[in-house]
Amino acid sequence: MQKIVDYLKLNSIAVALALFSAILTLIANRSGVGWSWDTSDYVAVGKNFAAGNGLLDATGLPMTVRPPGLSILIGFGDMLGLSANSSARLLNALCAIVTVLGTSRLLQLANVKRTVLVVATALVAFSPALLWQYSMIWSEPPFVALLVLATIVALGPASTKKFVLLVALFVALFFVRYVGPVFAVSMAVSAILFDHRKLGLIKATAANLSALAISLLPVWFWLQRNQTIDGTLTGARTPGGGSLLDPLKTFTATLGSWLTANPVEGSIYLSWNDYPNNTKILGVMLLIVFFALTAVYFFLFDARGVDQNKTLNVLLINVVTAVVYVAFSAYRFVHFELGPLDNRMMIPIFVPLVIVMALLIDRIKLASMLSRKGVLAIFAVFLIFQAISSIDDALRFGRDGRYWAAKEFQNQQIHEFVKDLPKDSSLMSNQPQQLFAVWQKSSVFNQFQLELAQTAECNNRYFVWYNSTYDDGSPNLEGQPEGASEIYSDESGAVLDLGSCTSSVATFWP
């Protein structure tokens, strides 16, 4: 108890900032945590896990395209009687607290000046980019929190406890997001450099690479499971093609969107040209400043002393994780997965970049008190701008909801009708993930899953046909059932009665 009291005294500002971030998250999720296509699968897998049905997605198929970590957490909440919304609300608030406190701890390990520590920690607490993740049922909030914890552990002194914790955290990173091993490799290699002073290079290499190798055993098991199910390691994905410069340009504009407090999260086709001009310009300027500060840092750097070594260690691990992830993300976009380097994709390196910038600025001696005050004034204005933007976003999200959790979506008349259908019904739809955001009970099958729909235990089947998708208004897939009686219709779509579950569903698709 005394340790907790002492911690609160020494870190009162960091604790206050962490609570501020958590409260913003709770406000943003007041009317429901944001919901998207991914969310439907995360929640469906969690509910099926809790019910003992296996790791099945919103359409009743074994999940391969996403790891089960977030879903299992939601499933545990379901076992405790919590709704998916309540579980996500609590989880995201906790992740906000861990991320802010972890940032403060990393800056303490780097021995930065107190003013720099407070400002950098506040940037993380006030960040709209992070808030946009905390206001969704996505895997990013727990992933960012785990990354911060793993970085702290990797920086710790070599010990059996450290290596055991690294194994656990590396495994957790993969099972929350498939990209976890990319960060695990960066941290393990960095930790070799930290530990070689105590253990020697050979022992440090053996210890950290052993921790990495052990953590990859469950990863291998899961990938083999996926291979058995659908012939892929991480689900079917489509590469973007083109050159590496294209996604790197998108990343640069994303940096600019962080500065403008207006994070950009676009469709899978988002590119450099889709960003506002101000984010492009600011992103380029930020990179120029970053490289200039780096050059000045190493020109002034004095490697003597334990404190300097600690500072360099914190700088090194954050630079390595950020650079490796950006490079991997660009390569992945071109060759494996058409996922733009937007706010959501790049959010794992938000904290590392803040920490790196803080360290670079901290080590540069300003020429005069006047210039020092001027820099502090600029940062104060920037912090206020970020805080006001986050508060405004939180109030707006809390009032309106986000994506499929938005009141506009949930309160559509067709959805109100669906919510009144008998709970023991089996639903089908040409947009099953979209409908699951409303139904949230059992799997929603599409028109190509007649065998699965036939085996579902239910009293009656209904098909919800959407005339267009909610996100972009594009027309839907072919395959509307024939001969089914229409029991509801409006401009958005129709609800069709497919009859008793004892009859053959195939009769409506001759």
Side-chain angles (χ1 to χ4, degrees), residues 152-167 191 194-196 198-199 203-204 207-208 211:
I152 294 172
V153 172
L155 286 163
S159 65
T160 301
K161 179 182 178 181
K162 170 183 175 176
F163 298 125
V164 170
L165 284 174
L166 281 181
V167 170
F194 309 153
D195 296 336
H196 86 276
K198 178 179 179 180
L199 300 179
K203 287 185 178 180
N208 284 286

Side-chain angles (χ1 to χ4, degrees), residues 307-363:
D307 287 349
Q308 295 295 343
N309 285 331
K310 288 182 179 179
T311 301
L312 191 58
N313 288 351
V314 176
L315 179 67
L316 175 66
I317 194 170
N318 282 287
V319 167
V320 169
T321 54
V323 170
V324 169
Y325 181 64
V326 171
F328 171 79
S329 298
Y331 185 84
R332 175 179 57 185
F333 176 88
V334 172
H335 297 285
F336 293 106
E337 181 181 4
L338 189 60
L341 277 63
D342 63 357
N343 179 55
R344 185 180 179 188
M345 188 70 74
M346 290 293 101
I347 202 64
I349 62 169
F350 182 87
V351 171
L353 289 180
V354 169
I355 290 174
V356 169
M357 290 297 292
L359 293 181
L360 294 178
I361 292 172
D362 181 68
R363 289 297 178 249

